[in-house]
Amino acid sequence: MGQFITVTVRAGSSPSVRFFDLNRSLTGMAIERYASAADVKEGDHRPPAVLAKRLFELGAHTVTVYSSSVVVTADTWSTLEPQVVETIEHLFGYYGDDAGWSPDSLRAIGVEPLPILFESTS
């Protein structure tokens, strides 16, 4: 569930900056700036806040989201860039382990998953 986002990456004028251009808008005309993970308010489930939180967890230093563009600063991009692309592409994914709905992921946030009622016999 949830449509993938198409991402194009451009290097910034500084080696620490990357621009990620998306095929959909995340903020409309609002500019969302996150100078650190502390700027993401607890309980803010809007797409730019969720994305910023996930990017900080990967190692980003700053995140700015404006419409269909995400600007990220980080120390090194060799391994981080593909992780950021994958994170953005799957931002609206609602099912599967990558979306955070595995039993272990649910337990980590204090939700006990429902037991499986039916098992496949095939």
Side-chain angles (χ1 to χ4, degrees):
M1 179 80 179
Q3 187 177 19
F4 290 129
I5 298 172
T6 302
V7 181
T8 305
V9 183
R10 295 181 289 130
S13 59
S14 167
S16 64
V17 177
R18 289 290 184 278
F19 292 87
F20 298 87
D21 298 313
L22 321 180
N23 68 335
R24 62 174 53 186
S25 175
L26 298 181
T27 65
M29 297 303 291
I31 299 173
E32 301 284 340
R33 291 187 177 100
Y34 303 93
S36 71
D39 288 345
V40 181
K41 293 180 176 60
E42 184 69 31
D44 189 348
H45 300 294
R46 296 172 307 119
V50 170
L51 179 59
K53 181 177 186 254
R54 292 177 184 176
L55 296 180
F56 284 122
E57 289 171 354
L58 291 175
H61 293 300
T62 66
V63 177
T64 302
V65 183
Y66 172 64
S67 187
S68 60
S69 184
V70 180
V71 182
V72 181
T73 62
D75 288 332
T76 179
W77 285 102
S78 59
T79 58
L80 185 60
E81 186 174 302
Q83 293 175 324
V84 170
V85 169
E86 182 177 356
T87 300
I88 296 170
E89 287 175 340
H90 295 87
L91 178 63
F92 294 121
Y94 297 109
Y95 299 110
D97 290 349
D98 291 339
W101 294 102
S102 70
D104 290 338
S105 297
L106 290 170
R107 285 185 189 101
I109 61 170
V111 176
E112 185 60 34
L114 294 173
I116 298 174
L117 299 177
F118 301 98
E119 289 189 26
S120 174
T121 58
S122 45

